[in-house]
Amino acid sequence: MAKQRKVLVTGGCGFIGSNFIQLVAETRPSWRVVNLDVLTYAGNLKNLSGIGENAAYRFVKGDICDQALVSSLFDQERIDTVVHFAAESHVDRSIVGPDAFIRTNILGTFTLLEAARSWWLAGDKVQAEPLFLHVSTDEVFGSLGESGYFSETTAYDPRSPYSASKASSDHLAASYFHTYGLPVMITNCSNNYGPYQFPEKLIPLIFNNARNGKELPVYGDGKNIRDWLYVTDHCQAIIEVLDKGSSGRSYNIGGNNEKTNIEVVTLICEMLDAKIGPLPDGQSRTSLITYVTDRLGHDRRYAIDSTRLKEEIGWQPSVTFEQGIEMTIDWYLANLDWLETVIDGSYQDYYKQMYA
Ligand code: NAD
Ligand code: DAU
């Protein structure tokens, strides 16, 4: 039988965190989940409106950099598991304003590690089999050429302020295992897509512009490659790593779905043409594709080798990219109201209506 857990989830109102909490509510209903999220532009309580009444769930609005708050949550809730998603996550934002990335991704992770260390490793408060799962990215490994894959032993080579801040937090997390014996695991995942992704990221941004007949900005030559993973498959991998992973170990998570950006953008256009019809002038939405100035320091190719996760944990992705992208487009089409409130910012009033 799976272990009972008292889980502190950070960043649970974001894209992956909210999918994770929903999956836990469905598949591990006995877990106590405390969701600590400061609700930046990327955090949306509506992502979790379905489980708001669940007695095993508690939302706390707060900052992972707030040491007193974080420590009090460990104490009050007797937390035995941390799943740390909270971060500034968008590469383009890190290029124009790295400060928040340094603060949240590095100092925030440090604050959580310190709180876990003092709660779990201090005298009579030692917890049975605690776990700190630090959720990270394949971007810490840098950029691949035409061949090869990132494995867990690939040297770190972060190239944007975002990936450098994540690399820094990975090193801090690993150091707490080696130095203090804190039971830390790290997962490094490839590009996620699926429901509730903020429409600054490629797939929801292209969906939204394409449905509105707006330009579809493709950076550079459009041939940069990402390895796409459906978000629920990522969340399932995290649950399985919590169940079966080993402390001090890192696990790469990838979908084995390498696509160029132009392939992804073209596919979304073709799917929308088929589902809602072509543009009013009869043209395909592919006519909206516009090549724009490249992202600074744009990593060329990411591709993940997930052999360790498959062999040691037994995880496999459950959906292909073709299935996942169709599910994603159908979800966005069925949830245009969610998209509208995210784009006009009105979802940020929801907290006031719910809690103020
Ligand atoms: P997101 O931007 O959608 O959500 C981030 C969440 O963290 C938001 O709810 C936000 O309010 C919260 N947050 C930000 N700063 C905070 C702070 N100081 N205190 C408390 N909460 C704070 O991000 P995401 O795409 O869901 O990514 C989640 C994690 O997964 C990140 O650590 C990211 O690096 C990692 N990751 C993401 C991907 C991807 O493709 N999106 C892939 C691999 C790894
Ligand atoms: O690889 C994992 C990472 O994937 C995560 O760690 C990050 O949090 C997540 O944001 C994502 O980073 P990317 O930079 O790969 O994702 P993004 O959706 O921003 O861009 C995907 C690709 O599409 C990238 O090559 C840049 C390109 N792009 C992006 C946007 C927003 C465009 O061509 N046009 C765009 O408008």
Side-chain angles (χ1 to χ4, degrees):
M1 201 173 91
K3 188 180 180 296
Q4 299 298 305
R5 294 185 182 279
K6 285 168 269 182
V7 191
L8 177 63
V9 174
T10 69
C13 296
F15 163 48
I16 305 174
S18 61
N19 278 281
F20 175 79
I21 290 175
Q22 286 179 41
L23 187 65
V24 166
E26 285 159 29
T27 64
R28 298 288 195 279
S30 62
W31 289 10
R32 166 79 169 160
V33 172
V34 179
N35 172 13
L36 174 62
D37 195 305
V38 79
L39 300 179
T40 67
Y41 77 94
N44 185 349
L45 278 176
K46 287 194 168 179
N47 298 1
L48 285 164
S49 45
I51 66 149
E53 302 299 313
N54 187 328
Y57 170 75
R58 174 183 170 197
F59 169 67
V60 178
K61 183 174 190 280
D63 191 333
I64 57 166
C65 300
D66 180 342
Q67 190 188 0
L69 172 65
V70 171
S71 296
S72 73
L73 289 178
F74 274 85
D75 199 355
Q76 280 166 24
E77 297 282 351
R78 306 190 70 80
I79 295 296
D80 58 32
T81 305
V82 176
V83 184
H84 175 32
F85 293 101
E88 289 294 334
S89 68
H90 192 40
V91 174
D92 291 328
R93 285 180 189 256
S94 83
I95 294 168
V96 292
D99 311 45
F101 290 73
I102 305 307
R103 181 180 179 279
T104 291
N105 300 0
I106 304 177
L107 294 178
T109 302
F110 168 67
T111 305
L112 285 164
L113 288 165
E114 271 297 274
R117 178 166 82 96
S118 36
W119 173 246
W120 289 342
L121 303 183
D124 60 355
K125 291 187 291 188
V126 172
Q127 303 288 301
E129 300 178 60
L131 272 180
F132 188 115
L133 198 156
H134 174 61
V135 178
S136 191
T137 170
D138 59 356
E139 299 200 9
V140 298
F141 299 121
S143 181
L144 291 164
E146 284 181 12
S147 61
Y149 296 89
F150 297 135
S151 79
E152 289 81 358
T153 54
T154 302
Y156 275 41
D157 182 22
R159 297 150 66 100
S160 71
Y162 163 70
S163 54
S165 68
K166 292 297 290 187
S168 175
S169 61
D170 289 15
H171 290 317
L172 275 172
S175 80
Y176 271 62
F177 170 75
H178 293 292
T179 305
Y180 304 114
L182 195 77
V184 169
M185 301 190 293
I186 300 172
T187 53
N188 295 92
C189 189
S190 61
N191 284 63
N192 285 216
Y193 68 103
Y196 301 109
Q197 188 167 33
F198 197 85
E200 64 188 351
K201 308 280 167 49
L202 180 72
I203 288 177
L205 181 142
I206 294 298
F207 168 88
N208 190 52
N209 283 13
R211 98 183 153 96
N212 288 320
K214 287 165 66 179
E215 257 183 20
L216 309 178
V218 173
Y219 298 165
D221 64 4
K223 294 191 178 142
N224 298 65
I225 290 175
R226 297 292 181 263
D227 178 358
W228 294 95
L229 180 66
Y230 192 66
V231 63
T232 313
D233 279 332
H234 181 191
C235 296
Q236 181 61 30
I238 289 174
I239 290 176
E240 292 185 28
V241 168
L242 289 171
D243 285 347
K244 298 180 231 165
S246 303
S247 288
R249 210 134 170 84
S250 69
Y251 299 91
N252 280 0
I253 309 174
N256 212 12
N257 280 311
E258 287 184 57
K259 304 280 174 208
T260 62
N261 293 334
I262 193 65
E263 283 175 314
V264 172
V265 172
T266 303
L267 185 59
I268 295 170
C269 291
E270 289 170 353
M271 290 180 88
L272 273 177
D273 288 345
K275 285 176 190 288
I276 60 173
L279 293 169
D281 64 4
Q283 289 203 73
S284 164
R285 286 174 169 73
T286 53
S287 62
L288 302 169
I289 292 173
T290 310
Y291 289 92
V292 298
T293 307
D294 209 353
R295 173 184 280 176
L296 294 176
H298 196 176
D299 289 339
R300 190 65 174 169
R301 173 172 168 259
Y302 304 145
I304 281 272
D305 174 358
S306 312
T307 306
R308 176 180 289 180
L309 191 65
K310 288 176 182 147
E311 290 184 351
E312 295 183 15
I313 308 287
W315 172 88
Q316 295 274 3
S318 69
V319 290
T320 63
F321 184 71
E322 288 65 27
Q323 292 167 327
I325 194 76
E326 176 136 33
M327 286 153 64
T328 302
I329 299 301
D330 287 345
W331 185 85
Y332 278 96
L333 283 171
N335 290 277
L336 291 177
D337 54 337
W338 179 92
L339 196 57
E340 297 293 354
T341 64
V342 170
I343 287 161
D344 71 17
S346 60
Y347 70 98
Q348 287 168 321
D349 297 333
Y350 189 67
Y351 176 79
K352 290 182 208 141
Q353 291 161 25
M354 294 283 289
Y355 293 95

